[in-house]
Amino acid sequence: MFTEIKAAIEKADNIIILPHKSADADCLGSAFALKLILKKLGKKALVMLEEKEPFPHTCGILNGVEEQVSLNADLVIAVDCGDLERLGERIGVFKSCPETVNIDHHPTNTMFAKYNFVDTNAAATGEIIFHLAEFMNVALDRDIAENLYAAIVSDTGRFSYSNTTENTHIIAAKLHGYKINHTEINEFLFERNSLNKLMLVKAALNSLQVYKEGKIAAVEVTREQLLKLGATEEDASGLISYPRSLETALISVCFRESTVSDTVKVSLRSNIYDVAQIAKQFGGGGHIRASGCSIAGNLKDAKEKLLDALFKVIE
Amino acid sequence: MFTEIKAAIEKADNIIILPHKSADADCLGSAFALKLILKKLGKKALVMLEEKEPFPHTCGILNGVEEQVSLNADLVIAVDCGDLERLGERIGVFKSCPETVNIDHHPTNTMFAKYNFVDTNAAATGEIIFHLAEFMNVALDRDIAENLYAAIVSDTGRFSYSNTTENTHIIAAKLHGYKINHTEINEFLFERNSLNKLMLVKAALNSLQVYKEGKIAAVEVTREQLLKLGATEEDASGLISYPRSLETALISVCFRESTVSDTVKVSLRSNIYDVAQIAKQFGGGGHIRASGCSIAGNLKDAKEKLLDALFKVIE
């Protein structure tokens, strides 16, 4: 299928790359790497984001991120995008283009383009873009390599997730050959905390409570703490990783008071129990191993209700 | 130098491997990988630990860890060990052996053995053991590959530290070829906390202080906290990652009172400054970006002395 995609790219002059909405680092790293690759082939290319202002945070570590200009495309390439719905408001751009390509690694991909390349064995879409560049005989450079590295390192959780393969490390080795600044990328993506973020972690750890001999671990943060520390949604949502890391915990919970309404947001994680079912009892949802819900009322009452539900699951 | 080490190994029948005291995962993974490699060569080999009871926590994810038996060695191999002092009480075992080998990657290595192989470009001693096995034509297996992976992934912080190279990923790719359980190793090494460990992190975060507009970030834990929480050396040594994650910090420090003597252990990290030089001022050492030392006296005085030295570096 690379053959047909290569031909479509060679034929085109103006190419629009479409990341999925709420694009993550794999998606954005892949998209901007592809843009730089296409430019090396003498094409006009741009990445059209759903969220234009401000650019997603990840763009801060990527190369080739520029102001959005418009382009009358003769080819669009959707990147890391499982279905048309994930293109959001840009679906019209995709549909109005005669030539369409879909490059992805999600098993749920709906093969929505004229030319589809979906490799579910690829740990990241970044791996596919790497192979596409090789196939098209485009020599990488440091900028492209850094974008691809950011894509791959983020979707593999620093090469730790089960999707990581021998091939992932072979590609990472080749990317290192371009003298990529891997420490900076890793720090940007995984290790940069503001003082307020660390203070939020501190608040969460100070609230850590365990129940049922440590089978349940819970942290909580109050509205006052969140406002005082100017916590973002991202900051707050990461707190679940602390109770989750407790070696005895079968279910972990993070309670945080909403800063805008009289509700408590609850995140649930488990490696054993179906926490989507628990979240559903409170009008929430999510995945079996990771779910969430909002409970009206104050923190004390919300905790009591949710813990009661957990105590029914864990004897 | 591999040639002479290979000859020494071939000549020997009974080999004792000596990790440094308070051995970390690179040291232990390398040591137990080497043991299994030597066994494949038909040698009697054992890893003699300084801390026998209980085994260091890391041993829980390594292969080939067994009860300590004694061995009348005709060869000793120090692994990941910068100098003789780091052998602790096992220095006699080393000195009484006619043939001695020193395999390490620390730049401060004192070349204390008859045969020394010190590769400061190796991200981990595990990389050197991998190459030694190749050089000696020993085919790896899954057990050995998992030990080497644990060594490398820990000393490179999941391939994120500046020591990580193209070669590190090439080795990681080859280790993946043995179907290693990399997710389990990563979870064990990076994502499992005891309740006491989380309480220790809490104590450290509660002590977080910043100096020089946040360019220096420091945490401290007291003897009382360490004893109350039954903290291991490993637990305590990981605390540096919290001040290190502060986005403004150029140098990060962790102070912890020794539980056995009237000294304060200091860990230093920087991405910009040579903290080995700072550690050296207090009789310590290590890498340019990661070093440590012990300062006699109480916590207050040790902090004052060390911070004074830092203030001279950071205006």
Side-chain angles (χ1 to χ4, degrees):
Chain A
M1 185 49 79
F2 269 174
T3 309
E4 283 146 350
I5 291 175
K6 184 181 179 216
I9 288 171
E10 282 170 349
K11 216 174 59 187
D13 294 315
N14 302 307
I15 304 171
I16 289 180
I17 300 159
L18 299 172
H20 62 71
K21 60 186 180 184
S22 308
D24 57 19
D26 179 26
C27 185
L28 291 168
S30 296
F32 285 104
L34 180 58
K35 183 185 111 169
L36 297 177
I37 290 164
L38 295 175
K39 290 210 155 190
K40 280 201 142 190
L41 288 165
K43 308 295 173 185
K44 277 192 184 165
L46 72 83
V47 176
M48 186 185 281
L49 296 165
E50 183 82 355
E51 298 85 7
K52 289 179 187 69
E53 278 294 328
F55 282 158
H57 174 71
T58 311
C59 289
I61 195 68
L62 298 176
N63 304 306
V65 179
E66 285 154 24
E67 283 283 309
Q68 303 267 311
V69 290
S70 69
L71 193 65
N72 201 356
D74 42 22
L75 173 65
V76 293
I77 305 178
V79 166
D80 196 45
C81 187
D83 56 54
L84 278 177
E85 189 275 331
R86 298 223 68 200
L87 290 177
E89 299 196 352
R90 297 159 302 159
I91 193 164
V93 175
F94 186 90
K95 287 197 164 166
S96 66
C97 194
E99 295 287 272
T100 58
V101 168
N102 161 24
I103 296 174
D104 188 27
H105 70 133
H106 293 97
T108 52
N109 192 289
T110 58
M111 303 290 178
F112 52 82
K114 184 168 173 187
Y115 308 111
N116 301 283
F117 188 89
V118 179
D119 178 3
T120 58
N121 293 315
T125 295
E127 288 189 7
I128 305 173
I129 303 296
F130 176 87
H131 289 306
L132 180 63
E134 271 194 333
F135 186 81
M136 298 192 74
N137 286 316
V138 177
L140 301 191
D141 56 28
R142 183 173 161 162
D143 281 356
I144 298 170
E146 289 186 335
N147 286 356
L148 292 177
Y149 181 86
I152 293 167
V153 78
S154 70
D155 245 27
T156 60
R158 300 182 167 196
F159 308 99
S160 74
Y161 301 159
S162 59
N163 58 0
T164 309
T165 64
E166 189 173 345
N167 189 44
T168 311
H169 280 288
I170 289 171
I171 294 172
K174 288 181 182 170
L175 297 177
H176 266 267
Y178 294 94
K179 308 288 169 216
I180 56 171
N181 200 337
H182 67 285
T183 52
E184 201 186 339
I185 296 168
N186 272 286
E187 277 181 22
F188 188 96
L189 294 174
F190 298 102
E191 279 167 38
R192 276 186 19 171
N193 290 316
S194 64
L195 188 56
N196 279 349
K197 171 78 183 292
L198 283 175
M199 291 301 98
L200 192 67
V201 172
K202 171 174 115 171
L205 283 177
N206 280 325
S207 77
L208 179 70
Q209 283 197 287
V210 296
Y211 307 91
K212 301 281 177 187
E213 297 97 43
K215 288 176 191 160
I216 300 170
V219 295
E220 61 189 74
V221 281
T222 65
R223 178 174 303 124
E224 197 187 334
Q225 288 167 332
L226 291 166
L227 289 173
K228 184 183 156 203
L229 297 171
T232 64
E233 185 60 30
E234 233 177 323
D235 292 343
S237 66
L239 293 174
I240 186 73
S241 69
Y242 293 90
R244 188 170 180 263
S245 76
L246 183 63
E247 60 192 0
T248 57
L250 304 180
I251 297 182
S252 50
V253 200
C254 175
F255 298 98
R256 52 200 159 91
E257 289 183 321
S258 166
T259 53
V260 291
S261 70
D262 200 22
T263 58
V264 176
K265 294 183 182 185
V266 182
S267 302
L268 290 156
R269 297 288 183 277
S270 178
N271 287 325
I272 295 176
Y273 293 99
D274 181 352
V275 287
Q277 284 304 322
I278 294 164
K280 258 188 200 166
Q281 294 172 36
F282 299 91
H287 306 281
I288 294 176
R289 304 292 178 234
S291 69
C293 57
S294 284
I295 303 178
N298 65 35
L299 188 56
K300 187 173 167 292
D301 292 346
K303 275 178 65 179
E304 211 171 284
K305 283 178 196 163
L306 197 278
L307 287 170
D308 269 355
L310 294 186
F311 293 161
K312 279 175 195 145
V313 175
I314 295 190
E315 290 308 317
Chain B
M1 185 51 78
F2 268 175
T3 309
E4 282 145 351
I5 292 175
K6 184 180 180 218
I9 289 171
E10 281 170 348
K11 216 174 58 185
D13 295 314
N14 302 306
I15 303 170
I16 289 181
I17 299 159
L18 298 173
H20 62 70
K21 60 186 179 183
S22 308
D24 57 19
D26 178 27
C27 185
L28 291 168
S30 296
F32 286 104
L34 180 58
K35 183 186 109 168
L36 296 176
I37 290 164
L38 295 175
K39 291 208 156 191
K40 281 201 144 193
L41 288 166
K43 309 296 174 184
K44 278 193 183 161
L46 73 81
V47 175
M48 186 186 279
L49 297 166
E50 184 82 355
E51 298 85 9
K52 291 179 185 70
E53 277 294 328
F55 283 160
H57 173 72
T58 311
C59 289
I61 195 67
L62 298 176
N63 305 306
V65 179
E66 285 154 25
E67 283 282 310
Q68 303 268 308
V69 288
S70 69
L71 194 64
N72 200 356
D74 42 21
L75 173 65
V76 294
I77 305 178
V79 167
D80 196 44
C81 187
D83 56 55
L84 279 178
E85 191 275 330
R86 298 221 70 199
L87 290 178
E89 301 196 351
R90 297 159 302 157
I91 193 164
V93 174
F94 186 88
K95 286 198 165 168
S96 65
C97 195
E99 295 287 274
T100 58
V101 167
N102 160 24
I103 296 175
D104 188 28
H105 69 132
H106 292 94
T108 51
N109 193 290
T110 58
M111 303 291 177
F112 53 83
K114 185 168 171 187
Y115 308 111
N116 302 283
F117 188 89
V118 180
D119 179 2
T120 58
N121 293 317
T125 295
E127 288 189 8
I128 305 173
I129 303 296
F130 176 87
H131 289 305
L132 179 63
E134 271 194 334
F135 185 80
M136 297 192 73
N137 287 314
V138 178
L140 300 192
D141 56 29
R142 183 173 162 164
D143 282 355
I144 298 171
E146 289 186 335
N147 286 356
L148 292 177
Y149 181 86
I152 292 167
V153 79
S154 70
D155 244 28
T156 59
R158 301 183 169 193
F159 308 99
S160 73
Y161 300 158
S162 59
N163 58 0
T164 308
T165 64
E166 188 172 348
N167 190 44
T168 311
H169 280 289
I170 290 171
I171 294 172
K174 289 181 181 168
L175 297 177
H176 266 267
Y178 294 94
K179 307 289 169 216
I180 55 171
N181 199 336
H182 66 285
T183 52
E184 201 186 338
I185 295 169
N186 273 287
E187 272 181 30
F188 189 96
L189 292 176
F190 297 102
E191 281 165 39
R192 271 178 30 161
N193 291 316
S194 64
L195 187 55
N196 279 348
K197 170 79 183 291
L198 283 175
M199 291 300 98
L200 192 67
V201 172
K202 172 174 115 172
L205 283 177
N206 281 325
S207 78
L208 179 70
Q209 282 197 288
V210 296
Y211 306 91
K212 301 278 178 188
E213 297 97 42
K215 289 178 191 158
I216 300 169
V219 294
E220 62 190 73
V221 282
T222 64
R223 180 174 301 124
E224 197 187 335
Q225 289 168 331
L226 291 166
L227 289 172
K228 184 184 157 203
L229 297 171
T232 63
E233 185 60 30
E234 258 173 306
D235 292 342
S237 66
L239 295 174
I240 186 73
S241 69
Y242 294 89
R244 189 170 179 265
S245 77
L246 182 63
E247 60 192 0
T248 56
L250 304 180
I251 297 183
S252 50
V253 199
C254 175
F255 297 98
R256 49 189 216 269
E257 289 183 319
S258 165
T259 53
V260 291
S261 68
D262 200 21
T263 58
V264 177
K265 293 182 183 185
V266 182
S267 303
L268 290 157
R269 297 290 183 276
S270 179
N271 287 325
I272 295 177
Y273 294 99
D274 181 354
V275 287
Q277 283 305 323
I278 294 164
K280 259 190 197 164
Q281 295 172 34
F282 299 92
H287 306 279
I288 293 177
R289 303 293 178 237
S291 68
C293 56
S294 283
I295 301 178
N298 65 35
L299 187 56
K300 186 172 167 292
D301 292 345
K303 276 179 64 180
E304 211 171 282
K305 283 177 197 166
L306 199 279
L307 287 171
D308 268 353
L310 294 186
F311 292 162
K312 280 176 195 146
V313 175
I314 295 189
E315 290 308 317

